[in-house]
Amino acid sequence: MCLLGGSDPHCQDSENYPDCPFRVSYQDGSASYGILYQDTLTFSDVQKIPSFTFGCNLDSFGANEFGNVDGLLGMGAGPMSVLKQSSPTFDGFSYCLPLQKSERGFFSKTTGYFSLGKVATRTDVRYTKMVARRKNTELFFVDLAAISVDGERLGLSPSIFSRKGVVFDSGSELSYIPDRALSVLSQRIRELLLRRGAAEEESERNCYDMRSVDEGDMPAISQHFDDRARFDLGSHGVFVERSVQEQDVWCLAFAPTESVSIIGSLMQTSKEVVYDLKRQLIGIGPSGAC
């Protein structure tokens, strides 16, 4: 586990290196450093995971240094994750990330949930297959083939996403897609919003004053996958609100990447997201799960 934590091989020499340091890097560029420890992880009297390895964080950077959270629960596909270390006790998990609060009323404050072991709690979840990537076995990849806005597909080749791969990641707030895809998406969004009364912000790219746009006129996004699955994400998570005095400014919640594309947490809000490791499927339900 010391080696899996990204430490120097000499850390196995317990006489000269009594502590086993770790370094974890996340998809949004943030990172965490600290010391690894082991203990029994207990969920109940009958669900105990012996020799469970976890890290005590000493320093971090990026993502506002993780705010005031008490810790990070690693649910990835790598060997250090809670799932891998607790297998076969748990073979999946699901969650619903609550909507953000907004003065505009577009989002409302709700309560989310996280379920470990029990997979889907709803019957209206759609699934797409997980795909393996040899160079990265710690992330959950999917075969994204296309994106549509208000029912109209963008003119993009599926290879633009498959070249580097696409992952679901609750740890990245924004969604990241290749430069070309972002250019086409942002242009389509711009055309729709200007037609519906939005005013383009001069000081910030892909940001709009939405005071003249009805909530029901916000553009909706759907994702289409190689196995013909379709996730209708609606307009939740397409935009993120910016605090501008006496204005109602919303910015596109996407950023460009030259690496792996990411379906971030904002796009997952209010929907039940399911990771079924037994069937190797990722599912997502309609808005309103929490």
Side-chain angles (χ1 to χ4, degrees):
M1 283 300 182
C2 186
L3 294 176
L4 292 172
S7 303
D8 190 297
H10 292 99
C11 287
Q12 294 181 103
D13 181 359
S14 59
E15 183 177 344
N16 296 313
Y17 295 89
D19 291 328
C20 179
F22 75 88
R23 181 186 190 280
V24 179
S25 298
Y26 300 98
Q27 292 302 301
D28 62 358
S30 58
S32 176
Y33 303 86
I35 304 297
L36 287 179
Y37 295 94
Q38 282 190 331
D39 204 338
T40 298
L41 177 61
T42 302
F43 291 97
S44 68
D45 290 341
V46 295
Q47 292 176 317
K48 295 184 178 183
I49 313 300
S51 301
F52 180 81
T53 301
F54 63 98
C56 179
N57 173 265
L58 300 178
D59 194 12
S60 58
F61 70 86
N64 295 321
E65 295 187 354
F66 305 102
N68 296 317
V69 299
D70 293 318
L72 297 176
L73 190 64
M75 301 302 295
M80 299 271 293
S81 76
V82 174
L83 286 174
K84 287 295 184 179
Q85 291 194 66
S86 63
S87 178
T89 302
F90 304 114
D91 56 10
F93 64 99
S94 63
Y95 56 77
C96 183
L97 304 175
L99 297 177
Q100 295 186 357
K101 185 179 180 181
S102 167
E103 294 180 1
R104 187 173 195 263
F106 179 63
F107 289 164
S108 59
K109 190 175 182 180
T110 58
T111 302
Y113 58 82
F114 172 76
S115 177
L116 178 61
K118 186 178 181 180
V119 189
T121 63
R122 300 168 61 97
T123 59
D124 51 4
V125 174
R126 294 179 177 177
Y127 292 91
T128 188
K129 63 184 178 182
M130 297 179 185
V131 294
R133 304 280 293 197
R134 290 184 180 180
K135 292 185 179 180
N136 197 325
T137 59
E138 297 188 356
L139 302 173
F140 295 109
F141 282 87
V142 290
D143 263 335
L144 181 64
I147 296 175
S148 61
V149 181
D150 282 357
E152 182 179 339
R153 290 202 186 198
L154 303 177
L156 297 168
S157 168
S159 63
I160 199 170
F161 301 111
S162 62
R163 190 173 297 115
K164 296 287 186 177
V166 180
V167 300
F168 265 78
D169 181 23
S170 62
S172 298
E173 183 180 29
L174 300 180
S175 293
Y176 294 80
I177 56 178
D179 236 338
R180 169 61 180 160
L182 179 57
S183 177
V184 174
L185 173 64
S186 60
Q187 180 60 29
R188 178 60 179 155
I189 294 289
R190 179 179 180 274
E191 292 171 356
L192 290 173
L193 287 178
L194 294 182
R195 192 184 306 162
R196 295 170 186 177
E200 202 166 7
E201 280 292 299
E202 297 181 359
S203 59
E204 202 165 354
R205 187 183 178 189
N206 291 330
C207 293
Y208 303 87
D209 184 345
M210 301 285 200
R211 281 178 291 181
S212 298
V213 180
D214 293 335
E215 293 175 22
D217 286 337
M218 301 286 278
I221 282 183
S222 294
Q223 295 173 329
H224 306 264
F225 296 86
D226 187 57
D227 55 5
R228 297 186 179 181
R230 188 187 79 217
F231 292 169
D232 296 321
L233 304 178
S235 47
H236 294 315
V238 179
F239 299 93
V240 58
E241 189 176 19
R242 291 282 185 260
S243 297
V244 180
Q245 189 176 7
E246 295 183 359
Q247 291 190 35
D248 188 14
V249 175
W250 292 75
C251 301
L252 197 60
F254 287 80
T257 181
E258 296 180 359
S259 183
V260 174
S261 295
I262 299 173
I263 300 172
S265 62
L266 281 175
M267 291 200 72
Q268 302 175 40
T269 52
S270 94
K271 307 161 188 69
E272 180 167 61
V273 182
V274 179
Y275 295 77
D276 188 336
L277 302 188
K278 191 172 184 179
R279 296 190 296 163
Q280 287 293 287
L281 298 172
I282 291 182
I284 191 166
S287 298
C290 64

